[in-house]
Amino acid sequence: MNLQKQLRCVYLHAFTSTLRFTDAVWVALLAARGFSLAQIGLAEGVFHAVSLLCEVPSGMAADLLGRRRTLIFGSALGVVCAATMAFAPTLALICVGMGLKALGYNLLSGTTEALTYDSLKTAGRERDYIKVDAKASIFMRLASALGSLASLLAGVLTSAGYYLADAAVSAVSALAAANLTEPVVTDEQAAREKHILQELPARLRVHIWDSLDCLRSSTPARRMIMADAIISLPSYLTSMFVQQRLTQQGWAMEWLFLPGLLAGAAGMAGASLGRRLHLKRLRALYFGCALLVGTGTLLAGAAPALLCAAGPVLVQGALSVWFLHSMQRLNDAIPSDRRATLISVDSMAYSLLMIPASPLVGLVGDLAGQAGAGLCVLGALVAVSGLAVAAQTRYNGHGAN
């Protein structure tokens, strides 16, 4: 494997798989085509249902069938999804398109990290994962920031044009994935090509039991998955509810892209800073990042306009630092043959917590009569989780005696 070529393809795939011209305007695009908010909400529900159901199976597919193939297929689904959304005349087809979009995201989630880590492992350079992941994260944040500016193209692109632009970017992403080399670390990975399709059900059963056994036997992996899920909760919720709070405080709709753009820049800065940190214990980092995420969530929920807009910026910057190191430790704690599956479990844990957290944050806001009240409760809980980890560390340091 030519590692430098491999990493260039990884970075190109990271950028193109994140660059979406429709993400910032898809609700407005569908509304302009005559779909009601209830119908749009139903389509969003289909997206999340498919995402939750397919997260772990997509990781299993990557481990059993190969990470390169899975990335190619996931990017190809992006092309099909965009084409479907561009010309779908009915709600049913819109829901199909949203389901395909979710499945495509699932196929990329976990698979990219697994391929990157094992590519480095083939060269004996696993310790470089944080540096490589930080660079990939910067490309992804840059793509996300550029995508947030898509509303400025409203005078140039039609609704179909937005989605066809997404299709073109997904096609480039598929080409980048096709130019990757499948990393082979274990004998099981080397034997993938020899297995016939009829053997897949038996291999799947073995894979599931081995993955469960890995989770049972690896306390560090379980703790990392839970920590990732808890600290991630404000990531989407702050960006969602900040829009409502800023509008209530007099911000014009045209300026609502600004917090997202600044949050993307903070994510890039966090990734750049995080790669320079050398930590012996991850608990201290969780403590610091949880306090920053909690503070940012409180600002988003209760502060005046400018500080409110700074809330998601603080959240995304801290999360970027945390995930660089947590993903390194999680990859170190799990075997190569189960890597994509267990990273997908990490993503699914976040989704499982989001199912109750999202409506509860909204409910608290409704009951309190303030849109940000739920964010304040969530921010306090995340900060308390950091304090609990610090207290546990101090307790262990002094001993139970």
Side-chain angles (χ1 to χ4, degrees):
M1 178 188 296
N2 183 331
L3 187 58
Q4 294 306 312
K5 176 190 174 184
Q6 182 85 337
L7 294 181
R8 284 196 297 271
C9 290
V10 165
Y11 299 142
L12 177 60
H13 185 269
F15 180 82
T16 53
S17 64
T18 310
L19 179 60
R20 291 291 177 268
F21 294 99
T22 56
D23 279 357
V25 294
W26 72 275
V27 173
L29 292 177
L30 291 182
R33 288 162 60 180
F35 292 99
S36 69
L37 290 179
Q39 290 174 320
I40 295 170
L42 176 60
E44 177 74 0
V46 169
F47 174 89
H48 288 292
V50 172
S51 181
L52 180 63
L53 292 173
C54 296
E55 182 67 62
V56 174
S58 66
M60 293 179 180
D63 283 332
L64 292 173
L65 303 177
R67 284 76 183 264
R68 175 178 171 273
R69 287 177 178 172
T70 305
L71 291 179
I72 294 172
F73 187 53
S75 297
L77 275 181
V79 178
V80 177
C81 159
T84 301
M85 295 291 289
F87 303 109
T90 65
L91 177 62
L93 281 177
I94 291 293
C95 289
V96 169
M98 292 295 283
L100 292 175
K101 179 181 180 181
L103 180 56
Y105 283 177
N106 286 150
L107 291 170
L108 304 184
S109 171
T111 306
T112 304
E113 294 88 343
L115 181 140
T116 302
Y117 189 90
D118 278 347
S119 295
L120 292 168
K121 193 168 185 177
T122 60
R125 291 177 54 185
E126 302 98 307
R127 294 297 94 196
D128 288 344
Y129 179 78
I130 287 180
K131 180 173 68 175
V132 171
D133 193 37
K135 195 169 183 179
S137 178
I138 289 172
F139 279 115
M140 293 170 70
R141 298 281 183 172
L142 178 60
S144 181
L146 290 174
S148 71
L149 297 175
S151 60
L152 301 178
L153 301 175
V156 179
L157 295 178
T158 63
S159 176
Y162 271 104
Y163 281 107
L164 292 178
D166 274 358
V169 174
S170 292
V172 176
S173 180
L175 289 174
N179 279 285
L180 290 165
T181 300
E182 181 71 31
V184 177
V185 176
T186 67
D187 292 338
E188 184 174 331
Q189 292 173 353
R192 280 187 190 130
E193 300 295 334
K194 300 176 183 178
H195 291 294
I196 59 176
L197 188 61
Q198 289 83 348
E199 296 175 341
L200 185 58
R203 293 175 61 210
L204 180 60
R205 285 194 297 271
V206 172
H207 186 84
I208 291 172
W209 286 112
D210 285 351
S211 298
L212 290 172
D213 184 63
C214 180
L215 280 176
R216 284 194 297 265
S217 61
S218 178
T219 301
R222 292 198 307 272
R223 289 177 175 172
M224 205 72 61
I225 288 169
M226 183 54 65
D228 285 350
I230 292 172
I231 201 172
S232 297
L233 284 175
S235 177
Y236 176 71
L237 292 173
T238 49
S239 63
M240 182 172 71
F241 284 100
V242 154
Q243 295 181 18
Q244 184 178 2
R245 289 207 67 236
L246 290 176
T247 302
Q248 290 176 344
Q249 296 184 62
W251 274 40
M253 292 287 290
E254 291 80 5
W255 290 100
L256 291 183
F257 75 90
L258 190 58
L261 190 65
L262 294 176
M268 287 187 276
S272 181
L273 171 64
R275 62 184 286 187
R276 291 171 169 80
L277 295 178
H278 302 284
L279 303 169
K280 292 183 179 180
R281 296 180 65 85
L282 207 57
R283 288 184 176 184
L285 181 65
Y286 183 85
F287 168 68
C289 288
L291 288 185
L292 289 174
V293 169
T295 301
T297 308
L298 288 168
L299 289 176
L306 289 178
L307 286 176
C308 172
V313 176
L314 193 57
V315 168
Q316 294 303 323
L319 287 178
S320 288
V321 175
W322 166 254
F323 275 108
L324 280 181
H325 292 272
S326 73
M327 290 307 299
Q328 171 79 64
R329 298 294 179 89
L330 180 59
N331 273 297
D332 290 344
I334 56 181
S336 291
D337 291 329
R338 315 285 172 252
R339 192 176 308 285
T341 299
L342 296 177
I343 294 175
S344 293
V345 170
D346 182 71
S347 298
M348 189 184 72
Y350 164 72
S351 297
L352 288 173
L353 288 186
M354 276 292 289
I355 290 173
S358 184
L360 284 174
V361 168
L363 177 62
V364 171
D366 288 339
L367 292 175
Q370 297 290 335
L375 286 181
C376 292
V377 174
L378 179 62
L381 290 175
V382 173
V384 166
S385 75
L387 294 172
V389 167
Q392 181 68 32
T393 303
R394 191 177 300 113
Y395 177 79
N396 290 339
H398 287 90
N401 297 327

